[in-house]
Amino acid sequence: MKSDFLSDVERQLDEAAADPLKWTSALEAIARATGSDGAALLTIEGRGPVVLPTENMTGLADDYIQNGWYKKDFRYNGVPILKNKGIVVDQDIVTLEHMGKMPYYQDFLIKHGFGWFAGIKIDTGDDVWCLTLQRAFKSGGYDRAEQEKLVRLGGVVSRAAKIARQLGYARLDGAAATLEHSTNACFFLDRFGAVIRFNPPADRLIGQDLQLREGQLRSLSPNDQALQNLIQASVLQMPGDKVDLNMPVVVTRQGKRPLIFHAMSLGGALLSAFSPARALLVAIDLDAQIVPEAQLVQAAFALTGAEARLALALTSTFNLVDAAQQLGVSYETVRKLIRSVFEKTGTTNQAELVGLLNRVRR
């Protein structure tokens, strides 16, 4: 390992902090500078690991997830050491004699050309990841002097990760702002399935039909488990999952029409490196009244102000008497106005009118 290896990777890490697409190049640079045969970023907590490997480690990473080796990864026993010391290596948790016998090494790592590892703590500010470096078994493990240098590397990578995380939140705030006027409730979820951002329609559902318990979204419906399964699958689909993200989940409500939930994952591991949001959950409230703005309706159909206000009043009631009371005008005035509204909007009855207005979205 070069004595000045940090200078070789700092520029790539600075670029990766601003551009998620640059993390693979940064990891390649780290592997070269540390005398490693491969490198990867992975989560150590949550539902399964999110893995971002260098190109020569993609086969190992795929095997790790697809064939369930992550469930047999005894190196997770070293996580407390990682968090305390900033680094964990094979020598901390297993003897060389056992390495020669364990299936994890003999049937998995060595098959892919690896054998020794160093796990380095990466602190994003609100989460902990692991930078794992891999060497071929014949190359030998990371010695004490190398471990000291790798702890310093962890600090440099953590700095870049924190910047990437902050930029990720800024992008998320921008995405949430675009949903400010959506008629559907939208929830952004982190990799633990916790809600980290939501729009005003979602806010209106919380406390009435939905609850947030320590960040986790729950319904009062008997089929809440179906919603939880959808949330977990959207955050990270793992082999064996039986949840189809293309199929909505219906959550019943007492005395109301149900909520229809759709979920989508937000990009792959590469595009979401250190991004706070992993998935978007959308709830369609079948009881929600879609009320367009008066100015928009007025401009769209060349209505007068009075005609636009009447048209909008009819989205919440089909009763002309109630509409007249709501607007503070006489019933006769409403009868005259409604004929003009029908003519200008090309509709013939109140049901057609309301259906038309409900398609007028901002």
Side-chain angles (χ1 to χ4, degrees):
M1 189 183 298
K2 300 178 182 178
S3 59
D4 61 343
F5 77 103
L6 286 180
S7 62
D8 292 339
V9 301
E10 283 187 294
R11 179 180 58 81
Q12 286 93 335
L13 286 169
D14 287 341
E15 292 178 357
D19 183 355
L21 295 174
K22 299 290 182 65
W23 275 104
T24 299
S25 297
L27 291 175
E28 297 280 5
I30 288 172
R32 290 191 299 270
T34 58
S36 302
D37 296 307
L41 287 166
L42 72 156
T43 56
I44 56 177
E45 295 173 336
R47 185 175 189 266
V50 176
V51 184
L52 175 61
T54 52
E55 185 175 353
N56 62 335
M57 279 185 59
T58 54
L60 179 143
D62 290 343
D63 193 3
Y64 188 67
I65 300 298
Q66 296 299 326
N67 295 314
W69 282 104
Y70 71 95
K71 298 178 182 177
K72 308 170 188 176
D73 190 351
F74 76 98
R75 290 166 166 177
Y76 280 102
N77 294 332
V79 168
I81 300 173
L82 171 76
K83 291 183 175 180
N84 182 47
K85 293 174 50 181
I87 189 171
V88 62
V89 294
D90 294 279
Q91 302 93 299
D92 292 326
I93 51 179
V94 67
T95 65
L96 183 60
E97 180 183 359
H98 280 94
M99 290 173 68
K101 300 176 181 179
M102 296 178 68
Y104 188 81
Y105 289 95
Q106 302 303 315
D107 300 337
F108 172 55
L109 290 175
I110 293 178
K111 180 181 71 173
H112 290 283
F114 301 101
W116 295 92
F117 105 114
I120 305 163
K121 177 183 175 181
I122 305 302
D123 183 0
T124 70
D126 60 355
D127 197 3
V128 176
W129 287 53
C130 175
L131 167 61
T132 175
L133 302 178
Q134 302 283 341
R135 281 178 176 169
F137 196 77
K138 62 182 180 181
S139 299
Y142 296 85
D143 61 32
R144 293 285 183 185
E146 290 177 314
Q147 291 175 40
E148 291 177 3
K149 295 177 182 178
L150 293 179
V151 171
R152 296 202 303 273
L153 171 65
V156 175
V157 179
S158 292
R159 185 194 66 186
K162 288 176 182 178
I163 295 172
R165 192 75 160 180
Q166 291 167 358
L167 291 174
Y169 273 111
R171 296 186 188 102
L172 178 58
D173 287 336
T178 65
L179 298 173
E180 186 78 14
H181 299 288
S182 172
T183 57
N184 295 324
C186 300
F187 303 87
F188 286 98
L189 310 174
D190 68 12
R191 65 185 184 84
F192 297 99
V195 176
I196 52 177
R197 294 289 188 277
F198 51 84
N199 66 349
D203 190 25
R204 289 192 288 271
L205 290 178
I206 296 172
Q208 297 184 30
D209 306 298
L210 301 172
Q211 295 181 349
L212 276 181
R213 303 175 189 170
E214 298 182 348
Q216 301 293 322
L217 189 69
R218 306 303 298 256
S219 76
L220 303 178
S221 169
N223 56 341
D224 176 67
Q225 188 57 52
L227 174 60
Q228 301 310 310
N229 293 342
L230 179 68
I231 288 173
Q232 291 303 312
S234 69
V235 166
L236 184 64
Q237 280 207 292
M238 301 298 292
D241 278 353
K242 297 180 180 179
V243 177
D244 183 357
L245 292 183
N246 294 317
M247 292 295 294
V249 166
V250 179
V251 172
T252 57
R253 297 183 291 178
Q254 188 171 4
K256 297 180 180 179
R257 295 184 180 89
L259 296 172
I260 311 297
F261 283 91
H262 297 266
M264 65 183 74
S265 297
L266 299 178
L270 175 64
L271 295 179
S272 58
F274 297 121
S275 171
R278 293 290 304 173
L280 175 64
L281 185 69
V282 178
I284 302 173
D285 184 354
L286 298 181
D287 277 343
Q289 294 291 336
I290 304 172
V291 182
E293 289 187 356
Q295 290 183 346
L296 178 60
V297 172
Q298 187 174 346
F301 304 108
L303 302 178
T304 66
E307 290 168 347
R309 288 191 292 274
L310 172 60
L312 291 177
L314 292 175
T315 62
S316 59
T317 177
F318 282 135
N319 190 316
L320 287 181
V321 174
D322 290 342
Q325 292 178 346
Q326 181 178 328
L327 296 173
V329 297
S330 69
Y331 176 71
E332 289 300 321
T333 298
V334 166
R335 287 188 59 192
K336 292 177 182 178
L337 287 174
I338 194 62
R339 287 194 291 268
S340 178
V341 170
F342 286 156
E343 181 180 349
K344 291 181 179 180
T345 58
T347 56
T348 58
N349 55 57
Q350 293 176 31
E352 280 187 41
L353 174 64
V354 172
L356 176 64
L357 295 180
N358 284 345
R359 295 196 298 272
V360 180
R361 306 276 181 91
R362 188 192 236 178

